[in-house]
Amino acid sequence: MAGLHAAAPLRVIRDPRPPPRLPNTVFGTLAFVVTELMFFAGMVSAFSIARAGSVLGWPPPGQPRLPQMETAVNSFALLLSGLLLYIAGRRFARQRRSARAPLFFAIALGLFFVASQGVEWVALIREGLTLTSSQHGGFFYLIVGSHAVHAAAALCVLAMVALRLLRGRLQSSTFTAARIFWYFVVGIWPALYLLVYL
C-alpha cells in the first residue's frame, strides 16, 4: 500500500528556446535611442535651413552671443562623465563593487553639466535671449533644452542604477541599457555644440 501513495518523481522541463541574444531592456533602449536620433535630426535640419535662409546673419543682430568657452568646459565634463561610465562598465564586468566610484563620479559630472547649462540659460534670458526673441532663441532652447531633458532623464536612470548597485541587486542588462542611454546623451552633445554654439 505504501508504494501506491509514493509521490512520482518530478521531471524538470527545460525551455528548449535559447536565451535571447539581446536582453529586452537593452533592445528597448536601443530602439528608443534610434527614435531620438531621428527626433534630433529633424530639429537640426530645421535649424540648418533657418540659419542658411537668414538674411541678417546668424545669430540675428541684437541677440546675445552664446557662451562658447563656458559651454566648452561643460562639454568636457560631460565627455569625461561618459568615459567614467565606460570604466564603470568594465569594472562591473570584473568585480561589481569596484564600479561604484567611477559610476558616482560620472553621475556627479553629469549633474555639473546640467546645472551649468541651467545657470547659462538664466544668464541668457536676462540678456534677452528667449524662446520668442528670435528664431535663434527659439531653436537654441528647443534643441539644447531637448538635450537637457534627455540628460536629466538619463541621470535619473543612472541614480537608480547606482542605488541598485549599492544594494547588490543590479543586473548586467539593466546597467548596459542605462549606459547606452547616457552614451547617447554624451555622444550627441558635441554635434549639437558645434552646430548651435559655433
Side-chain angles (χ1 to χ4, degrees):
M1 288 300 281
L4 291 175
H5 296 292
L10 294 175
R11 288 188 350 179
V12 177
I13 300 174
R14 295 187 179 172
D15 191 344
R17 297 171 298 179
R21 293 183 182 179
L22 197 61
N24 291 339
T25 52
V26 175
F27 177 77
T29 304
L30 287 172
F32 171 74
V33 164
V34 169
T35 60
E36 293 307 287
L37 280 172
M38 291 188 287
F39 170 70
F40 277 98
M43 288 192 296
V44 165
S45 297
F47 172 80
S48 299
I49 292 168
R51 183 173 63 179
S54 176
V55 179
L56 301 174
W58 197 271
Q63 291 291 287
R65 296 300 184 255
L66 301 178
Q68 296 176 355
M69 291 307 299
E70 294 89 337
T71 307
V73 173
N74 300 344
S75 302
F76 177 75
L78 185 64
L79 294 173
L80 184 56
S81 173
L83 175 62
L84 286 170
L85 190 61
Y86 172 77
I87 293 170
R90 296 291 298 270
R91 288 189 180 180
F92 182 81
R94 293 194 304 267
Q95 208 283 326
R96 294 190 171 200
R97 290 177 61 89
S98 66
R100 291 179 179 180
L103 174 59
F104 289 134
F105 281 119
I107 293 172
L109 286 171
L111 289 170
F112 171 80
F113 172 79
V114 172
S116 298
Q117 291 295 95
V119 170
E120 172 188 301
W121 279 27
V122 170
L124 287 171
I125 290 170
R126 286 178 179 165
E127 292 176 22
L129 186 67
T130 66
L131 273 169
T132 57
S133 62
S134 65
Q135 276 191 327
H136 177 238
F139 275 116
F140 171 76
Y141 289 110
L142 178 64
I143 294 172
V144 178
S146 295
H147 182 267
V149 169
H150 284 77
L155 283 170
C156 290
V157 172
L158 288 179
M160 177 206 64
V161 163
L163 186 60
R164 289 189 181 182
L165 180 61
L166 286 174
R167 293 177 176 174
R169 298 179 182 175
L170 180 60
Q171 294 181 350
S172 178
S173 59
T174 303
F175 195 21
T176 300
R179 292 195 331 262
I180 290 171
F181 190 9
W182 189 246
Y183 293 154
F184 163 71
V185 169
V186 172
I188 200 171
W189 177 250
L192 298 180
Y193 173 74
L194 292 173
L195 180 75
V196 175
Y197 283 84
L198 301 183

